[in-house]
Amino acid sequence: VVVPLRPNRGFTDAVREGVLRVSGEFTFILDHDDELVPGALELLTNTWRTVATSPDEFSGVGGRCVDETGTPVGTPLPSSPLITNELELRHVLRVRGELAGILKTSILQEELRNLPRGMNHNLLWYRIARKYRAILTSDVVRIYHRNVTTAMTRAKIRCPGDAMAVHLDYMNENADFIRRDPTYFVMQTLLYARYGAYARRSILRTLLAIRAPSLRLAYCLCLPLLPGVLLVDILRRRI
């Protein structure tokens, strides 16, 4: 079933419209530059049946990605299969890169209904990670085509208020990982300040919206760097 969305409402709203129409047990979300490797769905479902001994605890099964040349996208998993979640994977195990897999449709539908419109889809994955574990395998299941031309661009800064809200929600909801990955969270505060400047929010207002005292301090320490970041945006024509 093809559901045209006009005008373009972005990736998250497109996923929301599609997933809410799904009736199967699992959903695999693919973008325009994605391709499944042969046997990917069978591999993932077999891994689920083998490893997910308590299915209610897990959100789904994921595997690794390669680009069109066969080069792995990201760092390797420390073990396979690996039982973890998106937050531990990023902030504790420090695994970076592309992963893809099947997710339980019921979980996706519930979380998408509760996700505010305009929010970046990354917030969806991290909210699921706070409630469920996932099964990850080192087997390759998806090809990520880096050479595909896209009509969307990351160069221009659009909707700074929405982008600001995404960084704020991430910091406030996952502040318990600050000590595990301080550099990442310091960068979040700098990006938050950057989008706050474009959204014309006062420094005091943006500061008070941060709940964790340590991140409030990081925000204040990042402020002297903000003019340089804004200058780079101008030079690179992001605004």
Side-chain angles (χ1 to χ4, degrees), residues 177-196:
F177 284 92
I178 294 172
R179 293 185 178 180
R180 293 297 192 106
D181 197 0
T183 303
Y184 181 90
F185 282 90
V186 169
M187 287 301 301
Q188 289 290 302
T189 64
L190 183 57
L191 290 170
Y192 172 64
R194 173 200 192 199
Y195 290 118

Side-chain angles (χ1 to χ4, degrees), residues 3-11 13-14 17 117 152:
V3 182
L5 299 179
R6 297 187 178 91
N8 187 341
R9 286 158 48 187
F11 181 83
D13 278 352
E17 293 296 329
R117 292 194 178 276
M152 299 180 68

Side-chain angles (χ1 to χ4, degrees), residues 48-59 104 132-133 135:
W48 173 267
R49 296 190 186 101
T50 304
V51 182
T53 53
S54 302
D56 292 342
E57 298 179 11
F58 298 99
S59 59
K104 292 176 72 172
Y132 303 94
R133 294 187 296 168
I135 303 164

Side-chain angles (χ1 to χ4, degrees), residues 157-158 160-161 163-164 167 190-200:
I157 294 175
R158 307 177 191 277
M164 178 184 174
H167 290 289
L190 183 57
L191 290 170
Y192 172 64
R194 173 200 192 199
Y195 290 118
Y198 289 122
R200 300 184 183 278

Side-chain angles (χ1 to χ4, degrees), residues 18-230:
V19 169
L20 293 180
R21 289 172 167 80
V22 172
S23 58
E25 182 181 2
F26 294 100
T27 299
F28 199 126
I29 298 172
L30 295 172
D31 208 344
H32 70 289
D33 49 9
D34 296 330
E35 176 188 355
L36 292 179
V37 303
L41 297 180
E42 181 180 6
L43 185 151
L44 291 170
T45 52
N46 286 342
T47 301
W48 173 267
R49 296 190 186 101
T50 304
V51 182
T53 53
S54 302
D56 292 342
E57 298 179 11
F58 298 99
S59 59
V61 183
R64 299 310 307 265
C65 301
V66 296
D67 65 14
E68 63 277 358
T69 69
T71 302
V73 181
T75 51
L77 299 177
S79 62
S80 179
L82 174 67
I83 295 177
T84 184
N85 63 52
E86 190 90 15
L87 290 162
E88 291 181 351
L89 195 69
R90 172 177 288 277
H91 299 304
V92 180
L93 301 176
R94 307 293 179 90
V95 172
R96 301 289 191 264
E98 293 281 327
L99 296 167
I102 55 175
L103 291 165
K104 292 176 72 172
T105 302
S106 58
I107 293 175
L108 270 176
Q109 290 175 338
E110 177 185 1
E111 295 300 323
L112 281 166
R113 289 190 185 100
N114 296 328
L115 192 71
R117 292 194 178 276
M119 280 295 177
N120 184 285
H121 61 279
N122 286 329
L123 197 61
L124 169 68
W125 314 137
Y126 295 128
R127 286 185 172 179
I128 291 175
R130 295 206 69 89
K131 299 178 182 179
Y132 303 94
R133 294 187 296 168
I135 303 164
L136 300 178
T137 172
S138 294
D139 294 306
V140 174
V141 298
R142 190 189 74 174
I143 301 172
Y144 170 45
H145 290 270
R146 299 178 187 267
N147 58 352
V148 172
T149 302
T150 172
M152 299 180 68
T153 176
R154 297 180 184 179
K156 293 291 185 180
I157 294 175
R158 307 177 191 277
C159 305
D162 290 343
M164 178 184 174
V166 169
H167 290 289
L168 177 64
D169 283 351
Y170 188 90
M171 290 188 295
N172 284 341
E173 293 182 15
N174 302 305
D176 49 327
F177 284 92
I178 294 172
R179 293 185 178 180
R180 293 297 192 106
D181 197 0
T183 303
Y184 181 90
F185 282 90
V186 169
M187 287 301 301
Q188 289 290 302
T189 64
L190 183 57
L191 290 170
Y192 172 64
R194 173 200 192 199
Y195 290 118
Y198 289 122
R200 300 184 183 278
R201 306 289 172 80
S202 72
I203 291 177
L204 180 60
R205 179 180 176 185
T206 52
L207 172 64
L208 294 178
I210 301 174
R211 295 175 193 158
S214 57
L215 283 176
R216 286 186 178 182
L217 176 61
Y219 175 84
C220 293
L221 294 176
C222 284
L223 288 178
L225 303 176
L226 185 58
V229 173
L230 301 182

